[in-house]
Amino acid sequence: KGAAVLGRDDYLRSAQKAAEFAMEKLWDGQRLGRAWRMGKVRYDGYLDDYAFMIAGLLDLYEVSQNEKWLGAAVELQAVLDRDFKDSAGGYFFVAESKDNLLARDKPAYDGAIPAGNSVEVLNLLRLSLLTGLSEYDTQARRAISSFGQTLVRGGRSMPKMLAALDFLLDEALQIIVVRPDSAPDKGVLSHVIQERFLPNRVLLYAKDSEIAELSRKVELVAGKKSVGGKPTAYVCRGTTCSLPLNTASGLKKELDKV
């Protein structure tokens, strides 16, 4: 996020280096490790490790425009759903295991660091819009419902989950940026988007040649294309999208409506 807001490529390189280290050293394809020292992974990750890592990977995808980080987030989410999910909604702090635990805690309080469940609800809502998979949206709604009593009686104890609820009720923006295959990865449109505080939005990037394949997953992407040989943005809410926008001034005007 620092790279996006401040235009610091060195911050982006550092973020990518951190993510690459975590996915190479701490992730074995089946579970995420919690710590690494002297070439060895120590301890299995908890809910917070997965939730915060997924959130970071989604941020990194939206800034770097590299789809591999979205793929990594989807992989981690699959393990979280397999090993941590509560059938009543939300997630337990520790994974299901053969150990006979007296109880499996289900965090329901945002302290100085938000609870893993609060972060994870927002992750699910973002994944739903980024991948087009409605299952993520369903899981997010079930998780919010499972904490319903807590939110009604003392919502201030879970401000991060309230932010996720706001994301859901606000019908978050889907901003789709399509660029010609020959265009560079970054452009002025990306900067216009990133410099604004728009918490309830997701960003999808694609080349013209990738639209057909992506539209099979995310229906809203169908028919989108670059215009005038320049990167072109579409600002969508629900099933309604703006006209194609390929100038900074045009995109600024559209986003200023929010």
Side-chain angles (χ1 to χ4, degrees):
K1 287 186 174 181
V5 174
L6 302 175
R8 293 282 299 267
D9 286 340
D10 56 330
Y11 284 5
L12 177 57
R13 288 193 295 271
S14 293
Q16 290 174 323
K17 186 177 180 180
E20 286 167 357
F21 176 88
M23 296 308 295
E24 289 175 6
K25 303 294 187 181
L26 294 169
W27 170 246
D28 65 2
Q30 291 296 320
R31 58 178 57 86
L32 184 68
R34 183 169 176 82
W36 183 93
R37 182 173 182 269
M38 297 178 67
K40 293 183 179 181
V41 176
R42 300 174 185 272
Y43 321 116
D44 289 340
Y46 299 116
L47 165 62
D48 289 7
D49 299 298
Y50 283 88
F52 279 89
M53 189 67 196
I54 292 168
L57 289 168
L58 294 179
D59 288 340
L60 186 52
Y61 162 68
E62 292 191 344
V63 179
S64 69
Q65 305 175 26
N66 189 333
E67 194 171 344
K68 82 172 183 177
W69 302 123
L70 176 59
V74 169
E75 283 188 73
L76 292 181
Q77 184 61 51
V79 175
L80 196 59
D81 289 336
R82 183 191 70 196
D83 296 342
F84 292 79
K85 188 164 63 175
D86 179 7
S87 60
Y91 298 84
F92 293 110
F93 185 68
V94 297
E96 184 177 13
S97 67
K98 296 179 182 178
D99 297 332
N100 293 319
L101 299 175
L102 292 176
R104 293 175 74 199
D105 184 35
K106 188 175 168 183
Y109 177 80
D110 292 339
I113 297 175
N117 273 302
S118 297
V119 174
E120 183 52 29
V121 170
L122 189 53
N123 289 345
L124 289 167
L125 292 171
R126 294 173 72 186
L127 282 167
S128 175
L129 293 177
L130 289 169
T131 65
L133 295 175
S134 60
E135 294 86 3
Y136 291 134
D137 182 84
T138 300
Q139 289 174 215
R141 292 171 186 267
R142 291 188 68 203
I144 292 172
S145 295
S146 74
F147 291 100
Q149 291 297 323
T150 301
L151 293 173
V152 169
R153 293 173 181 172
R156 286 180 295 180
S157 68
M158 300 192 79
K160 185 68 173 179
M161 189 167 287
L162 289 179
L165 180 59
D166 185 66
F167 185 100
L168 174 65
L169 298 177
D170 190 35
E171 280 194 313
L173 298 179
Q174 284 176 288
I175 304 175
I176 303 163
V177 179
V178 186
R179 61 182 175 86
D181 290 3
S182 58
D185 287 347
K186 291 190 174 182
V188 66
L189 298 185
S190 179
H191 179 69
V192 169
I193 297 165
Q194 296 287 7
E195 70 180 357
R196 279 166 167 68
F197 179 63
L198 295 170
N200 297 344
R201 62 103 175 107
V202 296
L203 287 171
L204 293 96
Y205 297 96
K207 299 177 184 178
D208 280 321
S209 60
E210 298 170 339
I211 287 295
E213 177 65 25
L214 183 59
S215 65
R216 295 191 183 99
K217 304 175 185 176
V218 186
E219 187 176 348
L220 198 63
V221 172
K224 305 296 187 293
K225 60 182 180 180
S226 63
V227 176
K230 298 192 296 184
T232 303
Y234 299 82
V235 180
C236 308
R237 190 190 291 275
T239 58
T240 303
C241 295
S242 69
L243 293 172
L245 306 160
N246 63 1
T247 65
S249 60
L251 182 55
K252 286 179 180 178
K253 186 177 180 180
E254 184 66 30
L255 294 179
D256 284 344
K257 296 177 183 179
V258 179

